[in-house]
Amino acid sequence: MKTDPMIVALVPMRHHSVRVPGKNYRPLAGKPLFHHILSALLQTPEIGRVVVDTDSPVLMEGISRDFPQVTLLERPAHLTADTVPMNEILMYDTEQVAADFYLQTHSTNPLLRPQTISKAIQTFLSHYPAYDSLFSVTRLQTRLWDGLARPINHNPAILLRTQDLPPVYEENSCMYIFTRQTLAQRRNRIGERPYLFEMDPLEARDIDEEFDFLLADLLMRQRLQAESGRED
């Protein structure tokens, strides 16, 4: 009898943030930022366990209180510096928690919906092992240039409409699905044969700067208002 694979969601969260101070626990649309992604992951039926890796006493206290079903991993001191690559943190996490597959995301993706997470997992499982990993992307159809004013994805002598340009894809950092084997062999979440999972640009908004936080707050409030209106 075939059993469903064990999928663990990994959510690394630092206490310290340079560009947006305290962003992981700062209120967004009436709740601490980390609430949004944890709620989405816990509503995703394919995910068997949600794990947060953090060095933050504030996050540990808040998650223990509000999300007791989430597993907490205290990040070791040698992995807490801003210069430590994410892949090294994930190597530590996957050593602590066994799974068939890991899905990694961030608290800075608060607009990510459970339905989209489910679709990404189902897409990956239906294509595995032909594709050994998955990462989410945002489609770009605009005229791109490099720093030396050389066209990247278009011929300036042929002025195509932007919607007719061949698309390029931005890695949006919303989701990565991988095995520990891929991570250990390549020291990378992205394998040799990754599947590019395209997402809606608004849902893929990531919080890097203060402006991103304000925009995500506005978009989440609009979403909640629309959902409340449908329920009335």
Side-chain angles (χ1 to χ4, degrees):
M1 180 173 159
K2 186 177 179 180
T3 58
D4 293 332
M6 178 59 175
I7 300 174
V8 169
L10 300 175
V11 192
M13 299 189 206
R14 295 185 193 275
H15 179 74
H16 175 66
S17 175
V18 176
R19 287 175 289 186
V20 186
K23 68 180 177 183
N24 282 325
Y25 43 87
R26 177 176 163 184
L28 183 141
K31 295 180 180 179
L33 179 63
F34 71 87
H35 275 230
H36 298 285
I37 193 62
L38 294 186
S39 295
L41 291 169
L42 291 169
Q43 292 175 57
T44 304
E46 294 84 359
I47 291 176
R49 188 176 180 187
V50 179
V51 176
V52 171
D53 168 311
T54 186
D55 62 336
S56 172
V58 175
L59 289 168
M60 289 182 192
E61 180 182 355
I63 292 168
S64 296
R65 180 184 64 245
D66 299 326
F67 298 95
Q69 64 273 58
V70 170
T71 299
L72 281 168
L73 291 180
E74 185 171 359
R75 187 174 301 181
H78 70 279
L79 295 176
T80 58
D82 291 342
T83 54
V84 175
M86 177 56 64
N87 290 318
E88 294 307 306
I89 293 169
L90 295 176
M91 280 296 298
Y92 171 79
D93 292 347
T94 56
E95 286 172 356
Q96 311 307 308
V97 182
D100 297 306
F101 302 103
Y102 298 92
L103 182 146
Q104 188 245 318
T105 184
H106 301 90
S107 63
T108 51
N109 306 130
L111 297 161
L112 189 56
R113 295 179 183 271
Q115 301 93 314
T116 306
I117 302 171
S118 284
K119 184 178 178 182
I121 293 171
Q122 292 167 12
T123 298
F124 173 70
L125 292 178
S126 68
H127 288 86
Y128 182 82
Y131 292 91
D132 63 357
S133 53
L134 174 149
F135 65 96
S136 57
V137 297
T138 305
R139 176 192 292 249
L140 295 177
Q141 282 180 283
T142 187
R143 298 183 185 94
L144 299 174
W145 301 77
D146 68 14
L148 297 175
R150 295 175 298 194
I152 294 173
N153 66 331
H154 67 287
N155 182 347
I158 303 174
L159 195 60
L160 294 175
R161 298 180 304 170
T162 54
Q163 62 264 39
D164 294 330
L165 289 171
V168 293
Y169 296 92
E170 176 189 11
E171 180 182 340
N172 59 36
S173 298
C174 275
M175 288 183 286
Y176 299 86
I177 303 177
F178 54 92
T179 63
R180 175 166 170 78
Q181 181 182 8
T182 292
L183 182 67
Q185 287 178 347
R186 295 175 59 85
R187 262 333 197 250
N188 200 319
R189 300 165 288 193
I190 299 173
E192 294 180 354
R193 305 179 308 279
Y195 186 99
L196 274 61
F197 180 78
E198 188 176 340
M199 285 182 56
D200 177 271
L202 288 180
E203 190 177 353
R205 293 295 310 188
D206 185 48
I207 297 175
D208 266 336
E209 307 285 350
E210 184 66 26
F211 169 79
D212 300 320
F213 200 102
L214 297 174
L215 181 57
D217 183 86
L218 174 62
L219 292 171
M220 181 60 78
R221 289 181 185 276
Q222 288 181 331
R223 176 190 290 181
L224 295 174
Q225 185 176 10
E227 292 174 350
S228 176
R230 286 198 298 267
E231 293 170 1
D232 292 343

